[in-house]
Amino acid sequence: MLFGYHWNLTSDWAFALSILPMLLKGLVVTVEATVLGYLLALTLGLLLALLRMAPSRLVAWPTAFIIEFLRDTPLLVQLYFLYFVLPLYGINLPAFLTGTLALGLQYSAYTSEVYRAGIKAVPKGQWEAALALDLTPLRTYRDIIVPQAIPRILPALGNYLVSIIKDTPILSAVTVLEMLDVAKMVGDRTFRYMVPLTMVGVLFLLLTLLTATALRRLERRLPQRGIPLR
Amino acid sequence: MNPAVRFRQVTKRFGDLTVLEQFDFEVAQGEIVTLIGASGSGKSTVLRILMTLEELQDGEVEIEGEPLWHERKGGRTVAASEQHLRRMRKKVGMVFQQFNLFPHMSVLRNITEAPIHVLQLPRAEAETRARELLRLVGLEEKADAFPEQLSGGQQQRVAIARALAMRPRVLLFDEPTSALDPEMVGEVLNVIRQVAGEHELTMILVTHEMNFAREISDRVCFFDQGRILEQGPPEQIFTAPREERTREFLRTVLPDSGRT
């Protein structure tokens, strides 16, 4: 029994059907962790990108170091660090929040590089025309640069969304009952691993395919010349 | 009356390369001046300094008697603040070789963006003016088109309208026809001609269209290695250049007249 559901061991199909509700509970946690982690990555990433491009080296270089550090150390190490070290300094977060924080932090380093590349890819002439028209820097970013960067960065940001979905099982390392952890628990108690693990694979596949299809649709609908922010 | 533009002892370097050295240059108000010379001789740099796209290392630039890169504070001359630069920039407009229209905005919004957000004009007034300018450049019916739907020549005509919409005192043209297919050069030159005729504008052009320079300019300046080697009325420069370097340059760009 798990989450109040009982498993039925009479056949593989019956077993599969009976544990589906448990796995779907785990799937909800997976989706929640994905959405929260991704939103954190998108906002923090933009902030990191802007700091990384700051005219002052005093700001840009430490930011570059933080980005490299987040990108080039394993997610699991970062997660364990947050989970086991933060409490020593009096910061006690629920395991779920620690997990999404770790996901969001590492992916913010990835998205910051996407933002930076997207902004750098806007031709220099656009900055010069904006300056010649005396637009303020804020207006230049808002009306000229960002609208043109969006179609350039969207595909890469979308790939990271799919990628973050696939990284959520790492949360099971800190006792979060997401989909993989649920399946493992079912296996531990019934000694039948093939069915629950296969189902986890299929559910992940459905989730990522669905996401990828939605993203492709969105990309196709965006005009490549840029999107005015209104 | 103050000159529209004055360079005094201006030095500009890119790393080890000195582009302008103790450079002096003046343009009177309403004057149309063309800068000619080989590429790399510093012509475009003069325009880019005026548009504040390039900083200078030494010397002073004035626009209508007011320092551009400096300001006077309490009797002392200090480097210009961003605020000062923004105010001075309003006096200058620029047309680029690559047009640099905003690709995600309609033609009309390309023209109204800065008047609305910089000059704070009401949208309706900005659009009325934009349509008048589009009529001037002969593209009234393209107001709602996007730049990618226009030919290069049409894009450059929109870019001229966009620059005029800010009502600059000085308008700079940086090789406005160099990126165009030959059959489109004429329409852009016609528009520049018309702008020169209808507006009380000071114009500085960098161009390789020698016949056009000869026809439209009050004065032609021949640049050589960061200096103005020779300048004068177009008739004199093109028919009786005093300097050997000028003659040599004109021979290469005007092969027909060069051989006679």
Side-chain angles (χ1 to χ4, degrees), chain B residues 159-174:
Chain B
I160 293 170
R162 180 174 72 173
L164 287 173
M166 291 298 284
R167 306 179 200 216
R169 307 280 301 155
V170 180
L171 189 52
L172 313 171
F173 292 86
D174 191 6

Side-chain angles (χ1 to χ4, degrees), chain A residues 7-24:
Chain A
W7 35 74
N8 176 348
L9 295 169
T10 48
S11 75
D12 277 354
W13 291 110
F15 182 46
L17 205 63
S18 68
I19 62 170
L20 186 62
M22 307 170 203
L23 292 179
L24 289 181

Side-chain angles (χ1 to χ4, degrees), chain A residues 125-126 128 134 143 225, chain B residues 48 86 90 101 104 113 148:
Chain A
Q126 295 290 307
E128 294 191 343
D134 212 14
D143 286 4
R225 60 178 175 250
Chain B
R48 292 176 61 82
R86 289 186 49 81
K90 289 197 181 69
L101 291 182
H104 58 299
E113 169 77 11
E148 66 192 359

Side-chain angles (χ1 to χ4, degrees), chain A residues 121-142:
Chain A
V122 175
K124 199 168 136 245
Q126 295 290 307
W127 294 91
E128 294 191 343
L131 187 84
L133 291 170
D134 212 14
L135 297 176
T136 61
L138 189 70
R139 190 52 74 184
T140 302
Y141 263 107
R142 223 199 75 172

Side-chain angles (χ1 to χ4, degrees), chain A residues 73-119:
Chain A
T73 53
L75 182 53
L76 191 56
V77 173
Q78 294 174 16
L79 178 58
Y80 275 169
F81 189 86
L82 293 178
Y83 189 70
F84 293 111
V85 177
L86 282 189
L88 300 181
Y89 295 91
I91 303 170
N92 284 297
L93 294 175
F96 174 80
L97 281 186
T98 312
T100 48
L101 183 65
L103 277 177
L105 275 178
Q106 181 161 66
Y107 276 86
S108 70
Y110 295 136
T111 58
S112 78
E113 291 298 282
V114 174
Y115 286 124
R116 197 161 71 95
I119 287 169

Side-chain angles (χ1 to χ4, degrees), chain B residues 72-90:
Chain B
R72 309 211 199 287
K73 264 189 184 152
R76 288 192 315 133
T77 304
V78 296
S81 62
E82 186 52 37
Q83 212 177 358
H84 176 81
L85 284 175
R86 289 186 49 81
R87 192 168 61 78
M88 294 303 288
R89 235 178 248 141
K90 289 197 181 69

